[in-house]
Amino acid sequence: METELSRTLGIEHAIFGFTPFPAVAAALTRAGGFGVLGAVRYTAPEDLARDLDWMQEHTDGLPYGLDVVMPAKKAVDGIGEAEIEAMIPEEHRAFVRATLAKHGVPELAEGEASGWRITGWMEQVARSQLDVAFDYPIKLLANALGSPPPDVVARAHDHGVLVAALAGSARHACHHADAGIDIVVAQGYEAGGHTGEIASMVLTPEVVEAVSPLPVLAAGGIGSGEQIAAGLALGAQGVWLGSIWLTTTEAELHSRALTAKLLAAGSGDTVRSRALTGKPARQLRTEWTDAWDDPAGPGALPMPLQGLLVAEAVSRIQKYEVEPLLGTPVGQIVGRMNSERSVQQVVDELTRGFEKAVDRINRIAGRSTQ
């Protein structure tokens, strides 16, 4: 499963895996792919440094990358977290309290801080993460919300680090190319997390044509080797997978209830909702997303206000595993995630499926050697 891009990065398979879990990222790198560690949950630079130290020890000298979040458009600028939180309307705070009370969600213990803070969506936090990351031999810096600021792109290039940015349309991809991005991730509507409105089968070839000769990774709804083959057939030089790793044995969800929901979910059990971050993000549909998407409610706030508003609520829902409200960002590929497997087993299945798809096409084209 080699392409020009995989050879450039020195990896065996053109499988790029985004994950918030260091153990998953390291396992993918060891399996011949390219692990990309999501940095958004690291609010303290020393915590990111600790996990990058761990990555160094568990990747056998093989390449890996980091994913940060720098919004292209800022809802707020130049002020701290406390000042931002003060901008949250009381109506929205009351809505959160009422929704949690309706489902009997217990309070956190006295003095217990929220374990889930989304301050990583703020540019100054992402910049502090980069101050740490560039002390490590990362090979790729990805930005989940478009092109990073020009100085960040230049800084990455000065360190010999390639820069990738996600795009939901050919227009966005062209902006990335103009900004000096090295790799465009064409993320279709089916993907988990923040997505646009164009499906992968349409988006991938549009982006490939728009930014040629820049390499493109296909993303969104991909979880089998046959789908990888389709992405490469559409002109991509690799695939970007995120959701499929959530039910691997190395993932650290720390919630059997959430894992069970993922394993039981079908491809129609997700929804694009602003409930988590303020931007449309595909996630499991729950009574929490239904409440925020209800026209009778106050509606979600813009990023990063929504993430700050719901941080404690999400922590309480996760800690007490309140099943009707319990969810996570995940793509439509969740319908194929019906068993727990190791990262190596997933990669083995992907490569086998890819080989079968290529053999099938060769037979159709009359090129089979069998």
Side-chain angles (χ1 to χ4, degrees):
M1 207 181 297
E2 287 188 356
T3 65
E4 182 179 349
L5 178 60
S6 70
R7 288 189 289 271
T8 296
L9 288 167
I11 58 177
E12 182 180 0
H13 306 303
I15 301 173
F16 295 73
F18 163 78
T19 174
F21 308 123
V24 174
L28 176 57
T29 286
R30 292 196 307 272
F34 191 98
V36 181
L37 178 63
V40 71
R41 68 190 180 98
Y42 295 99
T43 57
E46 58 269 24
D47 292 339
L48 177 59
R50 177 202 64 220
D51 281 359
L52 288 176
D53 284 338
W54 189 92
M55 289 281 292
Q56 278 294 103
E57 296 171 3
H58 292 83
T59 48
D60 300 336
L62 298 169
Y64 62 91
L66 191 76
D67 180 280
V68 297
V69 176
M70 288 188 169
K73 295 181 180 180
K74 306 175 189 176
V76 290
D77 192 16
I79 58 177
E81 181 181 340
E83 291 84 357
I84 295 174
E85 289 216 47
M87 299 169 62
I88 298 173
E90 176 56 32
E91 175 191 14
H92 287 74
R93 295 187 186 277
F95 182 75
V96 170
R97 291 193 296 268
T99 304
L100 296 177
K102 176 182 176 181
H103 292 273
V105 182
E107 298 276 355
L108 295 176
E110 185 175 352
E112 182 179 359
S114 167
W116 186 87
R117 297 297 286 169
I118 203 161
T119 51
W121 302 107
M122 298 162 62
E123 182 178 321
Q124 62 265 35
V125 176
R127 286 183 177 275
S128 71
Q129 294 166 349
L130 294 179
D131 290 339
V132 172
F134 287 131
D135 287 336
Y136 293 82
I138 63 171
K139 299 301 182 185
L140 177 70
L141 174 67
N143 189 37
L145 290 177
S147 304
D151 67 297
V152 172
V153 176
R155 187 179 178 190
H157 288 164
D158 287 344
H159 282 81
V161 176
L162 297 179
V163 181
L166 274 65
S169 70
R171 178 174 59 84
H172 292 156
C174 289
H175 290 325
H176 297 343
D178 292 341
I181 299 302
D182 304 292
I183 302 168
V184 176
V185 181
Q187 179 152 293
Y189 173 83
E190 307 96 323
H194 297 111
T195 72
E197 299 181 350
I198 304 174
S200 299
M201 184 63 72
V202 174
L203 179 66
T204 301
E206 286 186 352
V207 171
V208 168
E209 181 178 355
V211 301
S212 178
L214 283 184
V216 172
L217 300 178
I222 299 174
S224 73
E226 291 83 356
Q227 290 169 315
I228 294 175
L232 298 189
L234 293 172
Q237 288 198 33
V239 292
W240 178 273
L241 309 182
S243 298
I244 196 71
W245 315 113
L246 288 173
T247 51
T248 58
T249 54
E250 292 90 345
E252 303 163 23
L253 285 181
H254 301 304
S255 171
R256 294 308 303 173
L258 180 54
T259 298
K261 289 188 77 169
L262 288 169
L263 294 173
S267 56
D269 293 329
T270 68
V271 64
R272 286 172 76 242
S273 172
R274 299 177 185 269
L276 188 60
T277 70
K279 285 183 176 290
R282 186 172 297 284
Q283 53 203 280
L284 280 180
R285 182 176 182 179
T286 66
E287 293 189 30
W288 178 256
T289 62
D290 286 348
W292 281 103
D293 295 339
D294 188 337
L301 296 168
M303 178 185 286
L305 299 180
Q306 181 71 12
L308 292 171
L309 168 66
V310 304
E312 181 181 322
V314 171
S315 287
R316 290 165 59 185
I317 292 166
Q318 292 176 344
K319 176 178 179 178
Y320 299 110
E321 297 190 326
V322 183
E323 198 276 340
L325 305 179
L326 188 62
T328 186
V330 69
Q332 292 180 333
I333 198 62
V334 71
R336 293 184 63 97
M337 296 159 50
N338 49 26
S339 66
E340 292 183 79
R341 297 163 293 163
S342 70
V343 170
Q344 182 66 64
Q345 288 174 317
V346 172
V347 172
D348 289 345
E349 183 175 299
L350 293 174
T351 55
R352 286 195 298 269
F354 177 82
E355 291 169 355
K356 289 179 181 178
V358 172
D359 286 345
R360 186 182 305 121
I361 295 301
N362 281 335
R363 287 197 300 272
I364 293 171
R367 299 192 187 99
S368 177
T369 58
Q370 299 180 359

